[in-house]
């Protein structure tokens, strides 16, 4: 945000410039190594290790004024080292049964704490018939970085913040069960259901503002738990001139925090996407020309809406004075339950054309496309504004509409 | 130009206005009754009644003047509260009895009935152990500011087996007169304002509505005596030339109910989020069933402090 103002005093004019920036970022340096080991045809063992040095800057404000110079205030950087080692084995027990069993150990050192986590992973696939299989999986996971979202209808302020001395990592467990079928050797159809439970989730406390730098972000959050469950149908065509896939997920994602939503009532997560649909189609007209299209649809974000206003109670503390019922009487804004309302759905169509050509040195492609081809105004945030007659209304703001794209690719 | 027309049109379409007035599927929130009142053993029971409005409604918030409010003490009905004008209802000559529970049942045409219940609080008188004043000065060669660092050391005796909240405020009353012109009559004035309080005790939390005080809960000293230190800065500079002023300091200690505490704490948070598009919505607590507002309970003790 920047502003310029010309001030005139005693016949002299000066232009004052003011600039405000909100800074938030993560810088990572990582090392990773992976090995494959095949002792015999029935075992495919993978193992590896990684280490990442994180520098988190969850929130800082830099402001500059032409007269007073530059100043930066806010959260100091937080450094963390995350390491992981894993081993897993794809084990073919027999022609029908294949199991993937793995163990993942990770740890996160931050400030004065070290958070270790042992995470078993197990999945199995059983062939009922050559074209029909059933799958099941279980996994336990740790996540050392939290996504901090706000629940109001105003500007979205998603921040990635680390686990710290006071904020524990997020732990989760997930189970899934599914069926997969191959149809006429052309199509693959799968149906899968899942359930996931999460602990040590964080959300902003009521009234907290990410722009308020008087307190650290850790003091603005409270912790709780969540769960997610649903089912996905997936149909894919991999062969032929026309390929693509169609996926539909029906899911619920909820949260429960003792300090939020009327002292602990369950509420939907902001990104509780009840319906999620994706359709991708590619058609190869020739080796020189391909056409592709993608259509996505998702239920709108769950947000907390202002619903009304009412009169506040007055000051009762002044000694020797009767209560003035109308003194300092600013309206109290009332809100819905947390995340009770849905923003309009998100959907868009992307189209792309690829012009390919073989050259002496390799292959080149021009890809011309359009994002959001039918110019859908997907909601970014909502505000209460006034129309030209002074009447209040909800106004939706969108960010990106139709966007053309051109890219050039080459391979040799 | 033709070859650019398409490109310009395309770019214009991409950056066309991104605002859209939408009809959100928001159920219309019917106006509800808002009851604001206090049980104070030193005053007749009185409440203010108004109505809420939907977020998109325009106009001012209005009082409700034609309601019937029945007052109960325990199970005993005491009668109807009389309307005094401007939405204020009072039960004359009915001061709350300490320890008694009072219920208000409010009916008004066009509204769902509401009910609220609260218990009258007892007076808790603090024992002043010591008062200390240190004269201090801040500033430099160009300007200086003299003030008194006023420290109050006091003790309270907490009733056992009940959750109690104590609010502390220090008020400064300045009364004086000045004569802008020797030929004119003097002008008299009086200001009452709370001073900002501090305490080294981390158990006391800030309580900022209508000036800041400090509030303490008896979570860690139920039924025991508890000693508290409060500090305030008192300006000792005179009001200016041609002025004669008197200053009076008063310590107010309020024994408030949990509902009163929760209401004003959440009101403070709600107020602080106004105009901040990044702030988390904060609902204000209410003990009014079916409506909004607060029937609070407070019992105050005032102690004049030497200056």
């Amino acid at each position: 945000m920047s502003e310029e103002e010309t001030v005139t005093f005693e016949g002299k004019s000066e232009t004052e410039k003011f600039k405000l920036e909100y800074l938030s970022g993560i810088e990572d340096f990582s090392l990773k190594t992976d090995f494959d080991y095949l002792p015999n045809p029935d075992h495919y063992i993978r193992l590896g290790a990684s280490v990442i040095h994180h520098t988190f800057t969850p929130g800082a404000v830099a402001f500059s004024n032409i007269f007073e110079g530059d100043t930066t205030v806010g959260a100091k950087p937080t450094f963390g080292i995350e390491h992981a080692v894993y081993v897993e084995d794809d084990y073919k027990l027999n022609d029908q049964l294949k199991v993937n069993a793995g163990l993942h150990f990770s740890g996160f050192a931050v400030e004065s704490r070290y958070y270790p986590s042992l995470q078993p992973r197990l999945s199995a696939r059983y062939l009922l018939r050559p074209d029909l299989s059933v799958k099941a999986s279980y996994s336990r996971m740790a996540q050392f970085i939290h996504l901090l979202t706000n629940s109001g209808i105003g500007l979205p302020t998603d921040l990635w913040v680390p686990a710290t001395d006071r904020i524990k990592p997020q732990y989760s467990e997930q189970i899934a069960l599914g069926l997969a079928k191959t149809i006429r050797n052309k199509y693959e159809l799968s149906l899968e259901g899942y359930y996931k439970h999460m602990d040590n989730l964080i959300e902003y406390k009521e009234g907290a503002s990410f722009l308020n730098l008087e307190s650290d972000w850790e003091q603005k959050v409270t912790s709780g738990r969540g769960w997610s469950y649903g089912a996905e149908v997936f149909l894919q065509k991999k062969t032929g001139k026309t390929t693509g896939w169609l996926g539909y997920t029906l899911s619920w994602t909820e949260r429960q925090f003792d300090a939020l939503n009327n002292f602990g009532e369950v509420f939907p997560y902001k990104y509780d996407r009840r319906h999620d649909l994706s359709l991708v189609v590619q058609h190869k007209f020739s080796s020189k020309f391909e056409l592709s299209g993608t259509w996505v649809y998702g239920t709108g974000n769950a947000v907390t809406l202002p619903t009304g206003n009412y009169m506040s109670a007055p000051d009762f503390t002044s000694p020797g004075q009767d209560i003035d019922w109308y003194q300092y009487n600013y309206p109290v804004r009332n809100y819905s339950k947390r995340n009770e309302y849905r923003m309009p759905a998100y959907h868009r169509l992307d189209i792309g054309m690829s012009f390919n050509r073989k050259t002496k040195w390799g292959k080149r492609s021009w890809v011309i496309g359009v994002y959001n081809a039918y110019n859908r105004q997907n909601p970014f945030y909502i505000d209460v504004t006034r129309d030209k007659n002074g009447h209040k209304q909800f106004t939706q703001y969108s960010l990106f509409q139709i966007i053309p794209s051109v890219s050039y690719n080459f391979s040799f | 130009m033709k070859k650019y027309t398409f490109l310009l049109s395309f770019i214009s379409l991409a950056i066309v206005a991104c605002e859209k007035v939408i009809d959100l599927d928001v159920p219309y929130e019917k106006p509800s009754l808002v009851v604001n009142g206090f049980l104070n053993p030193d005053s007749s029971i009185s409440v203010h009644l108004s109505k809420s409005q939907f977020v998109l409604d325009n106009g001012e918030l209005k009082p409700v003047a034609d309601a019937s409010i029945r007052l109960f003490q325990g199970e005993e009905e005491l009668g109807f509260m009389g309307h005094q004008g401007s939405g204020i209802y009072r039960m004359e000559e009915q001061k709350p009895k300490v320890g008694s529970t009072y219920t208000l049942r409010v009916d008004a045409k066009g509204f769902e009935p509401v009910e609220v219940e609260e218990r009258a609080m007892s007076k808790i008188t603090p024992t002043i152990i010591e008062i200390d004043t240190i004269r201090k000065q801040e500033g430099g060669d160009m300007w200086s500011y003299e003030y008194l660092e006023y420290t109050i050391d006091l003790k309270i005796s907490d009733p056992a087996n009940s959750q109690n909240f104590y609010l502390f405020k220090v008020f400064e009353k300045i009364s004086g007169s000045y004569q802008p012109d020797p030929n004119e009559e003097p002008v008299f004035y009086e200001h009452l304002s709370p001073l900002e309080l501090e305490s080294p005790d981390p158990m006391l939390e800030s309580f900022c509505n209508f000036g800041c005080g400090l509030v303490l809960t008896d979570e860690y000293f139920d039924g025991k005596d508890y000693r508290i230190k409060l500090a305030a800065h008192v300006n000792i500079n005179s009001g200016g030339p041609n002025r004669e002023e008197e200053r009076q300091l008063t310590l107010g200690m309020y024994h408030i109910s949990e509902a009163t505490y929760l209401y004003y704490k959440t009101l403070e948070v709600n107020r602080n989020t106004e105009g901040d598009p990044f702030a988390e919505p904060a609902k204000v607590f209410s003990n009014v069933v079916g409506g909004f507002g607060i029937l609070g309970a407070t019992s105050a003790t005032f102690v004049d402090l030497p200056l």
Side-chain angles (χ1 to χ4, degrees):
Chain A
M1 182 174 80
S2 62
E3 202 173 276
E4 210 170 282
E5 187 182 352
T6 303
V7 178
T8 304
F9 180 68
E10 292 182 345
K12 290 181 187 172
S13 292
E14 277 177 349
T15 300
E16 193 169 318
K17 292 181 185 176
F18 176 78
K19 187 176 161 186
L20 182 76
E21 284 182 297
Y22 188 87
L23 310 166
S24 173
I26 306 176
E27 189 177 79
D28 286 348
F29 292 101
S30 65
L31 283 172
K32 190 168 186 269
T33 183
D34 296 291
F35 299 95
D36 294 337
Y37 175 52
L38 289 85
N40 60 57
D42 293 332
H43 287 272
Y44 183 176
I45 299 172
R46 296 179 185 86
L47 59 153
S50 65
V51 61
I52 310 172
H53 180 275
H54 299 287
T55 303
F56 299 94
T57 316
V61 172
F63 56 90
S64 64
N65 180 293
I66 193 169
F67 297 110
E68 295 172 19
D70 297 342
T71 309
T72 300
V73 296
K76 288 180 187 169
T78 303
F79 304 101
I81 296 178
E82 181 181 350
H83 69 84
V85 291
Y86 75 93
V87 59
E88 66 177 66
D89 182 17
D90 256 336
Y91 179 26
K92 190 177 175 184
L93 277 83
N94 52 49
D95 286 342
Q96 280 79 37
L97 182 61
K98 198 171 169 186
V99 169
N100 180 296
L103 199 58
H104 184 106
F105 175 77
S106 60
F108 187 60
V110 62
E111 293 176 341
S112 62
R113 292 293 299 263
Y114 174 67
Y115 294 106
S117 172
L118 191 63
Q119 300 158 40
R121 313 272 167 96
L122 182 68
S123 66
R125 185 220 69 190
Y126 185 79
L127 274 177
L128 294 169
R129 291 201 310 253
D131 63 343
L132 181 66
S133 62
V134 61
K135 300 180 284 187
S137 66
Y138 164 81
S139 58
R140 191 189 300 164
M141 294 161 282
Q143 186 172 302
F144 304 111
I145 304 175
H146 296 272
L147 176 61
L148 193 51
T149 65
N150 60 332
S151 72
I153 58 172
L155 287 166
T157 58
D158 291 0
L159 275 183
W160 288 98
V161 295
T164 63
D165 281 351
R166 279 189 279 177
I167 307 294
K168 292 180 185 174
Q170 181 183 327
Y171 296 107
S172 63
E173 285 183 293
Q174 178 172 299
I175 54 169
L177 189 64
L179 279 172
K181 180 167 173 58
T182 304
I183 302 170
R184 282 189 269 152
N185 284 329
K186 273 189 194 177
Y187 302 96
E188 281 189 24
L189 176 66
S190 70
L191 172 67
E192 188 168 294
Y194 74 93
Y195 176 83
K196 182 177 183 180
H197 183 90
M198 297 156 276
D199 288 311
N200 301 331
L201 298 171
I202 60 171
E203 292 266 350
Y204 278 115
K205 292 177 185 172
E206 288 174 2
S209 173
F210 100 123
L211 203 58
N212 175 9
L213 296 171
E214 288 179 9
S215 56
D216 193 72
W217 69 265
E218 294 177 59
Q219 294 169 307
K220 301 178 196 173
V221 303
T222 184
S223 66
R225 61 196 181 110
W227 48 90
S228 178
Y229 54 92
E232 180 190 70
V233 173
F234 188 77
L235 177 65
Q236 186 174 24
K237 182 176 186 285
K238 285 185 184 175
T239 58
K241 283 193 172 182
T242 304
T243 58
W245 48 268
L246 172 67
Y248 169 69
T249 306
L250 175 67
S251 66
W252 286 258
T253 306
E254 295 169 328
R255 298 284 189 261
Q256 191 275 322
F257 283 65
D258 289 344
L260 301 178
N261 203 37
N262 202 26
F263 305 109
E265 281 183 28
V266 173
F267 60 92
Y269 181 47
K270 178 177 180 176
Y271 297 118
D272 172 37
R273 192 159 286 186
R274 183 76 65 253
H275 305 283
D276 189 305
L277 191 123
S278 303
L279 173 63
V280 175
V281 178
Q282 289 163 310
H283 185 78
K284 202 167 182 178
F285 286 89
S286 67
S287 61
K288 293 181 182 176
F289 178 64
E290 290 175 26
L291 184 67
S292 64
T294 302
W295 187 71
V296 294
Y297 175 94
T299 306
N301 290 344
V303 293
T304 308
L305 210 63
T307 55
N309 301 303
Y310 59 89
M311 214 174 257
S312 64
D315 182 14
F316 62 89
T317 61
S318 291
Q321 295 184 348
D322 290 335
I323 289 178
D324 181 348
W325 298 99
Y326 291 89
Q327 181 196 30
Y328 307 126
N329 205 303
Y330 304 109
V332 176
R333 176 155 275 190
N334 192 41
Y335 295 94
S336 67
K337 290 188 178 182
R338 196 174 181 102
N339 294 352
E340 189 176 28
Y341 288 102
R342 293 288 172 165
M343 299 215 344
Y346 177 98
H347 54 87
R348 73 167 205 273
L349 173 67
D350 304 332
I351 296 171
M353 293 180 289
S354 178
F355 301 91
N356 310 314
R357 192 170 172 182
K358 278 187 183 168
T359 63
K360 289 177 193 172
W361 40 264
K363 182 184 167 187
R364 70 108 172 102
S365 302
W366 279 103
V367 182
I368 298 169
V370 175
Y371 291 104
N372 198 9
Y374 55 81
N375 201 25
R376 161 78 176 163
Q377 286 182 313
N378 285 307
F380 183 50
Y381 75 96
I382 293 169
D383 196 10
V384 178
T385 60
R386 289 189 184 268
D387 65 16
K388 57 185 178 186
N389 298 318
H391 297 126
K392 292 180 197 170
Q393 60 188 10
F394 282 112
T395 301
Q396 173 187 294
Y397 295 88
S398 305
L399 200 58
F400 299 116
Q401 296 174 80
I402 188 167
I403 302 175
S405 73
V406 177
S407 67
Y408 177 78
N409 306 303
F410 64 88
S411 57
F412 57 90
Chain B
M1 183 62 194
K2 269 192 187 173
K3 63 180 177 181
Y4 293 116
T5 303
F6 174 75
L7 183 63
L8 287 172
S9 305
F10 200 60
I11 293 170
S12 303
L13 189 61
I15 59 172
V16 75
C18 300
E19 288 179 26
K20 184 178 172 182
V21 176
I22 55 169
D23 283 327
L24 265 190
D25 184 20
V26 175
Y28 174 74
E29 187 176 273
K30 277 174 48 179
S32 297
L33 291 171
V34 182
V35 181
N36 289 319
F38 302 97
L39 299 178
N40 183 342
D42 295 331
S43 309
S44 302
I45 299 174
S46 52
V47 299
H48 180 271
L49 192 65
S50 59
K51 57 180 179 177
S52 67
Q53 63 179 195
F54 183 54
V55 65
L56 297 184
D57 284 348
N58 294 291
E60 289 180 357
L61 297 168
K62 294 203 162 74
V64 173
D66 56 353
S68 79
I69 303 182
R70 288 190 296 157
L71 178 66
F72 295 79
Q73 179 182 345
E75 297 297 322
E76 181 194 348
E77 182 166 349
L78 301 180
F80 287 85
M81 296 181 73
H83 184 235
Q84 313 295 310
S86 301
I88 300 168
Y89 295 75
R90 185 172 294 134
M91 181 69 89
E92 294 292 356
E93 296 172 11
Q94 183 68 47
K95 293 184 182 178
K97 287 195 180 120
V98 169
S100 290
T101 299
Y102 292 85
T103 305
L104 271 62
R105 292 190 187 139
V106 185
D107 284 281
K109 194 177 172 186
F111 297 92
E112 294 293 321
V114 302
E115 185 172 305
V116 59
E117 184 180 288
E118 183 59 283
R119 189 173 64 90
M121 310 298 289
S122 58
K123 267 192 201 297
I124 304 292
T125 304
T127 304
I128 306 290
I129 297 169
E130 190 183 355
I131 290 173
D132 194 23
T133 54
I134 302 172
R135 202 180 191 97
K136 288 192 170 179
Q137 186 175 325
E138 278 184 15
D141 295 334
M142 300 294 287
W143 64 271
S144 67
Y145 163 67
E146 265 193 306
Y147 63 95
L148 277 181
E149 191 174 83
Y150 200 99
T151 309
I152 309 160
D153 192 344
L154 59 94
K155 183 180 73 171
I156 55 172
S157 297
D158 180 63
N161 303 319
S162 60
Q163 190 176 30
N164 296 289
F165 294 82
Y166 304 101
L167 169 64
F168 300 92
K169 282 178 104 165
V170 171
F171 296 89
E172 182 182 39
K173 186 161 99 175
I174 301 174
S175 39
S177 65
Y178 73 96
Q179 207 159 8
D181 191 297
N183 299 321
E184 289 183 16
E185 292 292 319
V187 176
F188 295 93
Y189 57 87
E190 191 175 279
H191 304 300
L192 179 73
S193 54
L195 297 177
E196 191 147 339
L197 273 187
E198 293 172 346
S199 175
D201 188 339
M203 300 293 293
L204 281 114
E205 65 173 299
S206 171
F207 195 82
C208 287
N209 283 282
F210 320 109
C212 286
L214 293 171
V215 73
L216 174 71
T217 173
D218 67 348
E219 192 179 343
Y220 296 107
F221 60 92
D222 182 45
K224 297 177 185 162
D225 289 351
Y226 193 76
R227 199 159 160 176
I228 302 155
K229 252 193 186 153
L230 305 172
H233 287 187
V234 182
N235 183 8
I236 57 175
N237 293 325
S238 71
N242 303 322
R243 286 180 189 252
E244 289 181 14
E245 281 186 347
E246 277 182 17
R247 289 164 186 263
Q248 170 66 52
L249 287 190
T250 304
L251 167 69
M253 199 190 90
Y254 310 82
H255 186 198
I256 61 175
S257 64
E258 185 183 10
T260 309
Y261 166 78
L262 287 173
Y263 176 85
Y264 281 98
K265 277 306 282 187
T266 52
L267 180 66
E268 183 184 343
V269 175
N270 182 281
R271 289 259 159 82
N272 289 342
T273 65
E274 268 303 303
D276 184 347
F278 303 105
E280 282 296 298
K283 278 190 79 130
V284 177
F285 172 84
S286 173
N287 62 353
V288 178
V289 179
F292 300 109
I294 183 71
L295 179 63
T298 172
S299 185
T301 304
F302 297 105
V303 177
D304 285 339
L305 301 172
L307 187 63

